[in-house]
Amino acid sequence: VLEQTPFSIYCLELDPPVDIRCGPAALADAVRAAQVIECNTAFARSVELGDVRSTSGLRFGELDSTKDVQSHDRLVQDFIAGGFRLSDYELSYSDPQAKQHILQLNWDGVIKGGALRRIWAAEQDIYERRATEAELARRKRFEKLVAKISTMLIVAPEQSLEEELQKCLRLVCDYSCAERAALLWMNDESRNVELLSYWNEHGSPPWVDVTRATFPWSSAKLISGQECVIDDIEELPPEAGQDYQGYCELGVKSTAGVPLSIAGSALGAMTISNIVEKRHWSRELMKELEVVGGLFGNTIWRIRSRQALDVALAELQKARDHLEAENVYLQQELRSTHGFDGLIGESHSFMKSLRQVEQVAATKTAVLIQGETGTGKELIARAIHARSDRNKRPLVKVNCAALPGNLIESELFGHEKGAFTGAQTRKRGRFDLAHRGTLFLDEIGDLPLDLQGKFCLLYTSPSPRDEPRYLVFRLQR
């Protein structure tokens, strides 16, 4: 049974037996002098002797665990306090090579006549198991940290972003056992360094300006996308003399920083530091800080990009408002140039015509304008357009007399590509261009009669001599 178990089993004999009332110090020496009288192969292998025969007679003081005097004395004291029995006791010690071990012990003392004669023991080294458990626990803590920071940054309103960043930096310090943390944003054009957020126990920002000139060596590493790990500022290389002076002014003993990389470019940095004692920043911790730095970097980049977009949109809106104001001004200028202000007269018939302009401008019907050359028929047409609800759309003027007979329909109604020989592209007609606006057909009487019928306009002249010369169409699809 003893050979099948993975536990190291052994029996220590104290010769001569030791009075249990002699005190912890004497008992500790006696246990150190005790001999192994029985053991299994697992124990023989654990002490690197290989077989049971070679292990018999080995003194307990020759084991590595007893060479760590403090841990050995503590073991004996706890053994006495437990009534000379230990159950699932964990002994942590360092061997002569400074390697860490954790033994799970079960000791049972054999006492006769008030003297401790033997100790039966079962033990196993659980250091690797404890390291695995610690690693799993650390990973769970890190996952919780990432989840919490991600949630805080996603839901953080822009106006309170600095406050949320400071809370997140405190979480980073608690996780990494750091005493200070900072978020820096670097501008490649101006080479300035912006302190976005800072956390320490008192919440006060550093009294030394953090610039590239102050920390040139560290900044160069971070800008190039490398991490910057300084376990002890006293061990900085000679070329980092300026950085050493800056760290001394900040009171920093140890520091570490990771770049905030966006699309392969380092735009900022997250740093943590200690001011009381120097410390070693592990490789695992730096990898985790890179992940957290990515969360910070993407959040800051997203908000800054949105702010830049808002500024651009504001500038665009400002330009649009300016154009609209100019458009209103030009429309007013056109009205003043071509509206009633351009029509001068006081006769009864002239005033009647102006009243008719006001009346027809509000309708959606076609309007016929007649008059001799030079009487201002185009001015009347523009006045009607300006006072209609279509004045924000264009007034399209067509001189019908100038259109070639074979291209009249194409010019007025447009054509599709390939509709006839030479139609290489699609063309919009003047009717289409005047959509939601006004179409002014000048010299409409010069158009062929069969084409006039296609306008869907029924017009009856008061007398055969009165030929329509100007026509205004008000279109609506």
Side-chain angles (χ1 to χ4, degrees):
V1 172
L2 294 181
E3 289 300 326
Q4 293 298 323
T5 180
F7 288 86
S8 298
I9 309 291
Y10 56 94
C11 179
L12 299 175
E13 184 177 57
L14 287 78
D15 188 20
V18 179
D19 190 336
I20 60 175
R21 296 171 297 180
C22 68
L27 280 170
D29 292 338
V31 171
R32 191 177 283 107
Q35 287 185 324
V36 177
I37 59 173
E38 291 188 50
C39 70
N40 63 355
T41 304
F43 177 76
R45 291 174 178 172
S46 70
V47 296
E48 299 180 352
L49 293 177
D51 59 86
V52 175
R53 186 184 300 274
S54 301
T55 309
S56 297
L58 179 70
R59 292 192 180 277
F60 190 66
E62 295 174 356
L63 302 180
D64 286 342
S65 61
T66 62
K67 294 172 184 176
D68 187 338
V69 178
Q70 291 182 346
S71 65
H72 173 74
D73 291 348
R74 187 166 56 251
L75 168 65
V76 174
Q77 291 173 6
D78 293 337
F79 178 59
I80 297 172
F84 295 92
R85 176 171 293 182
L86 292 175
S87 179
D88 293 333
Y89 180 84
E90 292 189 4
L91 171 65
S92 299
Y93 71 95
S94 299
D95 63 18
Q97 290 74 37
K99 184 179 179 180
Q100 292 294 320
H101 297 269
I102 302 178
L103 295 179
Q104 189 176 55
L105 298 173
N106 288 277
W107 275 19
D108 197 353
V110 179
I111 301 174
K112 288 184 179 180
L116 178 64
R117 297 177 178 271
R118 294 179 180 176
I119 299 175
W120 278 95
E123 67 180 37
Q124 65 173 336
D125 195 333
I126 60 172
Y127 179 80
E128 291 187 1
R129 190 179 78 187
R130 285 286 182 266
T132 301
E133 292 173 351
E135 176 65 15
L136 291 175
R138 185 186 61 80
R139 288 185 180 181
K140 288 182 178 179
R141 286 181 58 230
F142 179 66
E143 290 173 359
K144 290 182 179 179
L145 173 71
V146 171
K148 190 167 185 178
I149 290 179
S150 299
T151 303
M152 294 173 66
L153 294 179
I154 289 173
V155 302
E158 187 173 329
Q159 57 271 19
S160 60
L161 176 62
E162 184 177 353
E163 181 181 351
E164 293 301 318
L165 289 177
Q166 196 173 58
K167 292 179 181 178
C168 292
L169 287 179
R170 179 170 186 172
L171 293 176
V172 173
C173 285
D174 291 341
Y175 178 80
S176 60
C177 298
E179 297 164 349
R180 292 179 180 176
L183 280 176
L184 307 172
W185 199 255
M186 291 174 280
N187 190 317
D188 288 335
E189 296 180 359
S190 63
R191 300 184 61 82
N192 291 331
V193 176
E194 179 183 357
L195 182 63
L196 295 178
S197 186
Y198 185 84
W199 185 87
N200 60 11
E201 184 178 357
H202 308 291
S204 56
W207 57 89
V208 176
D209 290 337
V210 181
T211 64
R212 296 189 192 184
T214 310
F215 302 95
W217 182 80
S218 304
S219 298
K221 293 177 71 70
L222 293 170
I223 292 172
S224 63
Q226 305 176 51
E227 60 186 30
C228 181
V229 182
I230 305 173
D231 294 337
D232 184 358
I233 65 169
E234 299 297 335
E235 298 178 0
L236 281 170
E239 61 268 23
Q242 181 66 39
D243 296 64
Y244 175 79
Q245 183 178 353
Y247 288 129
C248 288
E249 291 180 6
L250 288 173
V252 171
K253 302 292 185 182
S254 301
T255 185
V258 293
L260 306 184
S261 299
I262 306 297
S265 299
L267 301 179
M270 179 180 70
T271 64
I272 56 175
S273 57
N274 276 12
I275 59 174
V276 178
E277 295 180 355
K278 62 182 181 181
R279 63 161 290 182
H280 170 67
W281 310 100
S282 68
R283 181 71 223 149
E284 292 77 12
L285 176 62
M286 297 309 299
K287 290 182 178 179
E288 292 169 345
L289 292 181
E290 287 181 4
V291 175
V292 177
L295 297 177
F296 283 119
N298 282 287
T299 300
I300 298 168
W301 173 259
R302 171 173 52 83
I303 291 179
R304 296 228 160 178
S305 298
R306 188 172 63 220
Q307 290 174 343
L309 180 60
D310 290 342
V311 171
L313 289 175
E315 292 293 329
L316 183 60
Q317 183 62 40
K318 183 178 179 181
R320 180 180 177 181
D321 293 342
H322 181 70
L323 289 175
E324 288 182 352
E326 285 187 350
N327 183 49
V328 171
Y329 169 76
L330 293 175
Q331 296 252 357
Q332 291 174 349
E333 283 292 309
L334 286 174
R335 291 193 188 108
S336 64
T337 304
H338 302 289
F340 285 175
D341 292 342
L343 298 172
I344 303 173
E346 297 181 357
S347 65
H348 175 74
S349 59
F350 183 77
M351 300 305 295
K352 179 181 178 181
S353 298
L354 296 185
R355 286 193 296 270
Q356 289 176 337
V357 168
E358 294 285 358
Q359 291 172 352
V360 299
T363 67
K364 299 184 182 296
T365 184
V367 179
L368 176 66
I369 304 174
Q370 294 177 299
E372 299 296 331
T373 301
T375 56
K377 295 181 289 296
E378 184 177 348
L379 290 177
I380 293 294
R382 293 189 179 277
I384 294 174
H385 173 71
R387 279 150 182 78
S388 70
D389 57 0
R390 298 167 180 264
N391 57 11
K392 293 183 179 180
R393 302 293 297 173
L395 182 145
V396 179
K397 179 183 176 182
V398 180
N399 188 350
C400 298
L403 294 175
N406 60 340
L407 297 178
I408 291 176
E409 289 193 49
S410 175
E411 189 70 25
L412 294 177
F413 302 111
H415 62 257
E416 295 292 333
K417 180 179 179 181
F420 53 86
T421 303
Q424 301 296 327
T425 59
R426 182 178 181 271
K427 180 179 180 180
R428 293 178 62 190
R430 298 299 180 91
F431 276 83
D432 191 17
L433 291 174
H435 177 54
R436 297 188 183 277
T438 302
L439 178 64
F440 177 39
L441 298 176
D442 191 2
E443 300 291 351
I444 189 174
D446 292 341
L447 291 176
L449 292 178
D450 58 341
L451 184 59
Q452 293 186 35
K454 295 182 180 181
F455 293 166
C456 300
L457 171 68
L458 178 61
Y459 169 71
T460 303
S461 172
S463 65
R465 293 176 299 176
D466 295 330
E467 288 187 0
R469 298 180 60 81
Y470 292 85
L471 184 62
V472 178
F473 268 99
R474 316 279 297 296
L475 302 180
Q476 180 180 25
R477 290 198 218 181

